[in-house]
Amino acid sequence: MDTQTAAEHLKNGDLVVFPTETVYGIGALASDDAAVRRIFEVKGRPQQNPLILHIADRSQLDVLVREIPESAQKLMDAFWPVPLTICFDKSNQVSDLVTAGLPTVCVRNPDHPIVHDILKEVVEAVAAPSANLSGKPSTTRFQDAKRQLEDKGVFFMEGGETTIGLQSTVVDCTGEQVRILRPGFVSQSQLEECLCEQVHIENQPDIVTSPGQLLEHYAPQGELTVLMGAREKRREWLQQQDLTETLLGLVGDVSDVKDTQSVQLSEEDDLQTYASHLYGFLNSCDVKGMKKIILELPSYTDHDLFPALLNRLEKASRGNVLKLHQY
Ligand code: TXA
Ligand code: MG
């Protein structure tokens, strides 16, 4: 399928799975209530979890929002199309189905040639959550998106592996202070540097301000344990375990781990590579039907991507993160 055909499908009210620079998305024409409703059905997504709007160009923003606060303007100037999703007060052009009844709408301008071409062709905003079943790991490889969503009557636009692998950072610019609703590729310190003010991270957002924080889990079927700490501590711990029928996701030198099924996600200090492989790893655990999974986190906790990775892995493991410390 080419981008023009994908755009036609969207304009006809069909759903299309497409790559973005972060993860695959499943899109619907935002102004088509029936199509938007189908996104929730196909994903099994709770109705109260709002969708992000995707636009090709900043000129499309004006009809979607009531106003553009100064902070949002600064962030767009500095970052777009880097994956930063901004929450605005919505205009009455945006359907309540998209925003799950909230008075705000989240908008992003993705940086990927395929989705960019599709959005340009569609002209209108496209509502698109991540292309996975609700609660399951997001998808960074075409085959994973296809496996999770096949037989749902949606169209697929192939686009190889996504590069970033972590969803966009979601920031709320509607209040006095800018708040991070979901940590992601753009870090707290990058945002603070741009705005010259403190940016608050919402740790325990309530269901009304950010439903997704409570509902999304990125979780594989098997029991996932995440190991956090210095490499020696992690390997000491691993040596004491019975690892039969366990899949290991390792970081850094793997020569001291013997006779086990394992995958190396990245080097110890390469969190970008780790992020880009994370959802592929979690999806392959489901493909292999693994019942037990142990996954190392890189020990480089000062890295900009660390908070977002820890956030995803706390959810994916249902809080099962072992902190073995001594960095
Ligand atoms: O990188 C991304 O953002 C990917 C790609 C496909 O663009 N999209 C994505 O969408 O991750 P989704 O639906 O999986 O996550 C969107 C998050 C959810 O946690 C949702 O609750 C939150 O954004 N959200 C959307 N609209 C909101 C609003 N008006 N207020 C607060 N949170 C909102
Ligand atoms: Mg999602």
Side-chain angles (χ1 to χ4, degrees), residues 98-119:
V98 167
T99 66
L102 293 176
T104 54
V105 63
C106 284
V107 186
R108 110 172 178 86
N109 172 216
D111 185 19
H112 187 289
I114 293 181
V115 66
H116 186 262
D117 286 356
I118 295 174
L119 293 171

Side-chain angles (χ1 to χ4, degrees), residues 23-24 43 45 49 128-138 167 182 212 216-218 279:
V23 296
Y24 271 77
K43 283 190 52 126
R45 184 177 177 105
N49 192 3
S130 51
N132 53 270
L133 296 172
S134 191
K136 297 280 170 220
S138 293
Q167 298 91 337
R182 176 177 71 180
E216 238 166 15
H217 295 292
Y218 321 107
Y279 289 127

Side-chain angles (χ1 to χ4, degrees), residues 40-307:
F40 289 90
E41 276 166 31
V42 161
K43 283 190 52 126
R45 184 177 177 105
Q47 292 285 346
Q48 66 268 36
N49 192 3
L51 307 177
I52 293 176
L53 294 186
H54 293 61
I55 56 175
D57 190 272
R58 222 189 298 176
S59 62
Q60 292 172 272
L61 188 61
D62 295 340
V63 294
L64 305 172
V65 304
R66 281 220 335 250
E67 57 166 356
I68 298 177
E70 201 188 320
S71 56
Q73 189 64 54
K74 277 192 196 161
L75 292 175
M76 289 188 290
D77 289 343
F79 294 105
W80 277 14
V82 172
L84 178 70
T85 298
I86 302 180
C87 195
F88 298 89
D89 285 321
K90 83 175 190 76
S91 76
N92 58 14
Q93 303 282 304
V94 179
S95 158
D96 283 337
L97 280 177
V98 167
T99 66
L102 293 176
T104 54
V105 63
C106 284
V107 186
R108 110 172 178 86
N109 172 216
D111 185 19
H112 187 289
I114 293 181
V115 66
H116 186 262
D117 286 356
I118 295 174
L119 293 171
K120 249 185 113 163
E121 192 76 30
V122 173
V123 182
E124 281 183 45
V126 168
S130 51
N132 53 270
L133 296 172
S134 191
K136 297 280 170 220
S138 293
T139 56
T140 50
R141 304 181 301 191
F142 179 70
Q143 72 263 31
D144 293 327
K146 181 111 193 195
R147 178 178 49 83
Q148 288 200 38
L149 296 168
E150 66 190 350
D151 306 328
K152 303 270 187 194
V154 305
F155 292 91
F156 290 89
M157 175 91 214
E158 186 160 8
E161 279 189 43
T162 67
T163 47
I164 290 180
L166 261 183
Q167 298 91 337
S168 60
T169 305
V170 180
V171 294
D172 182 354
C173 286
T174 61
E176 288 277 292
Q177 221 193 7
V178 174
R179 297 175 308 145
I180 298 177
L181 300 181
R182 176 177 71 180
F185 182 74
V186 178
S187 69
Q188 181 183 19
S189 59
Q190 283 175 290
L191 296 170
E192 288 179 337
E193 201 173 306
C194 166
L195 295 169
C196 299
E197 63 180 47
Q198 263 199 328
V199 172
H200 187 69
I201 299 194
E202 208 82 332
N203 279 324
Q204 295 282 305
D206 57 51
I207 191 95
V208 181
T209 56
S210 192
Q213 289 274 354
L214 294 178
L215 296 168
E216 238 166 15
H217 295 292
Y218 321 107
Q221 249 139 40
E223 182 198 321
L224 171 64
T225 304
V226 176
L227 298 186
M228 180 174 161
R231 184 178 159 281
E232 302 77 63
K233 287 274 159 197
R234 301 189 318 250
R235 299 298 160 84
E236 244 172 56
W237 186 88
L238 280 175
Q239 268 154 22
Q240 292 158 13
Q241 309 303 310
D242 171 9
L243 297 174
T244 44
E245 295 187 35
T246 302
L247 183 65
L248 296 183
L250 300 174
V251 174
D253 181 9
V254 298
S255 58
D256 60 345
V257 185
K258 301 236 161 58
D259 302 330
T260 49
Q261 281 195 78
S262 70
V263 176
Q264 189 209 35
L265 276 85
S266 72
E267 294 303 331
E268 197 70 43
D269 59 354
D270 189 358
L271 276 77
Q272 180 49 71
T273 300
Y274 185 88
S276 71
H277 291 158
L278 178 60
Y279 289 127
F281 173 76
L282 295 177
N283 274 288
S284 54
C285 293
D286 284 350
V287 172
K288 291 180 180 145
M290 298 309 302
K291 294 205 169 63
K292 269 185 75 184
I293 308 141
I294 299 176
L295 175 59
E296 293 189 311
L297 243 179
S299 56
Y300 192 175
T301 54
D302 289 339
H303 193 286
D304 268 355
L305 290 180
F306 192 86

